[in-house]
Amino acid sequence: MQFDARAAKLLKPGEHMTIADHPGLRLECTASRRAWIYRYKSPVDGRMKQTKIGAWPAMSPAAAIVEWEKLRAARDSGRDVAAEKRTARTNARAVENGSLPHAGPYTVRRLCADYLVGHVERNRALKGAKEIRRMFDTMLAPIAGMLPEEVTRAIAFDLLNSFAHIPVQAAKLRSELGAAWDYSLDAGRLREDTPNWWRQIMRGRLRSNGKKIQGKAVGQVKRVLAEAEVGELIRWLPNFSRIVDDALVMYLWTGTRGSEIASMEAAEIAEEKDGLWWTIPKSKTKNARRPGATDLRVPLFGRAAQIVRRRLAVAGDGYLFPARVGGPIEQKVIQTAVHYHQPYSKTRPEDQRPRLTITHWAPHDLRRTTRTLLASMGCPNDVAESILGHMLPGVQGVYNRHTYDRERHEWMGKLSVKLESLASDGGADFVTKD
């Protein structure tokens, strides 16, 4: 970080200064103050927006960067942070004026709404927040109009038990309702003696029996494609749309997560002395909240490098995998496309489309397959885990601060060669016909 306090003091009204390596973070000067501002392009409507972080010098540059990271992570997840702040202010004024339409008894519905607005939408990615809102909207009908104090242990049990046939969803509902009750207790919106039954009932009883395909249980098997299957799948990928084909290739050639691929931006790509590198900001990784985590460095070889260069040519400074309505493509688009082409998919049965010859897999299985390929090639465990963006466990994770860039470069190069050999073993690429 480079911040010149002397230069900051010399700023005149209307002027601003930026902070190196922290895009969008700036210190703006007006006639009465100097404030930290985060300026960004809205993922919702594509317009330039900005939001105040804090006043300088009361907020130090280091503290401003911490808040900038949080806001940038929220923006990367698809949220418009400035719009959210305006909505919160509007709602607060409405509460003060007594003009909110839901003012009245503090029901379970209101409790869950407060939890969504006050905690979930501020701390979760857009995808997760939308899922929790959907879950509350569709699963709470029997208790939504009740007062939280009226929800007895038996009532809570009956609600969860009614969803016992979908145990994973029921367990998620139990967890989120427990957190919602805790949030309202902490905020003083419930009496301190109000029991939180969600933390006590059905513990350990809501377990998945694994997914079913065509009505047949397939258990909790985590799929890893055999080498022959990998080669055949690579040759089949052109049957997908170009954007899905490219994304699935990136899974195999980089081992990264679907969310990281979908949100890839031009600013994260750099041509370095040893080739093309993709640096995924820590805020976009699964380790965003872990203190010892860093940005994830990914060397790009073979087809991955070709895809990135081709997409950079049209992306400008935006997303490499853009959605049609602005912002990045959603990860579920890739997942849905894979399921749509499975031979057992009954989605839009009237549509004619090529069916996958390698079946019973999902995009995330390709990441697991890449990890297995690295192990089979003799890649050291620490290096392979680092490639996938996993933090090393225990004491090793605390004391080992080696970046593994050299090792990543070596083994990702070998992986690319291996994948190309698998793709060529079955002959020329093929595309099935409708």
Side-chain angles (χ1 to χ4, degrees), residues 179-306:
W181 250 249
D182 283 344
Y183 179 83
S184 290
L185 284 164
D186 292 343
R189 292 166 188 160
L190 295 179
R191 296 198 313 266
E192 291 188 3
D193 60 350
T194 303
N196 188 346
W197 298 119
W198 312 106
R199 296 297 192 196
Q200 303 177 41
I201 61 172
M202 301 194 75
R203 296 176 65 180
R205 297 186 219 171
L206 298 169
R207 294 181 179 176
S208 172
N209 295 318
K211 64 182 179 181
K212 291 184 178 181
I213 294 179
Q214 292 178 298
K216 185 181 296 184
V218 297
Q220 301 183 33
V221 177
K222 294 182 177 180
R223 181 88 152 94
V224 174
L225 275 63
E227 291 191 1
E229 291 180 311
V230 173
E232 184 172 341
L233 177 60
I234 293 173
R235 296 189 296 275
W236 198 95
L237 290 180
N239 288 284
F240 287 109
S241 67
R242 171 56 67 87
I243 196 168
V244 173
D245 178 2
D246 286 353
L248 294 173
V249 168
M250 295 298 293
Y251 270 99
L252 284 169
W253 258 259
T254 68
T256 49
R257 298 178 177 88
S259 59
E260 296 162 349
I261 294 168
S263 62
M264 182 187 296
E265 294 183 73
E268 299 165 7
I269 309 300
E271 192 78 55
E272 301 185 13
K273 61 182 180 181
D274 55 355
L276 199 63
W277 283 80
W278 171 27
T279 302
I280 306 173
K282 172 185 171 180
S283 59
K284 286 189 178 183
T285 70
K286 206 168 185 178
N287 300 318
R289 297 181 182 275
R290 301 186 63 175
T294 61
D295 294 347
L296 177 58
R297 297 265 293 159
V298 184
L300 300 172
F301 288 91
R303 300 192 188 196
Q306 293 169 12

Side-chain angles (χ1 to χ4, degrees), residues 128-189:
K130 288 171 66 176
E131 170 57 20
I132 295 171
R133 182 176 290 279
R134 183 205 65 77
M135 184 170 63
F136 285 171
D137 287 344
T138 58
M139 300 174 75
L140 293 184
I143 66 170
M146 298 177 63
L147 299 178
E149 297 85 352
E150 297 173 341
V151 179
T152 64
R153 188 183 192 114
I155 290 173
F157 176 87
D158 287 343
L159 178 69
L160 294 183
N161 198 46
S162 69
F163 298 109
H165 61 290
I166 45 174
V168 173
Q169 194 70 33
K172 183 67 174 175
L173 178 64
R174 173 184 178 273
S175 174
E176 294 299 339
L177 285 174
W181 250 249
D182 283 344
Y183 179 83
S184 290
L185 284 164
D186 292 343
R189 292 166 188 160

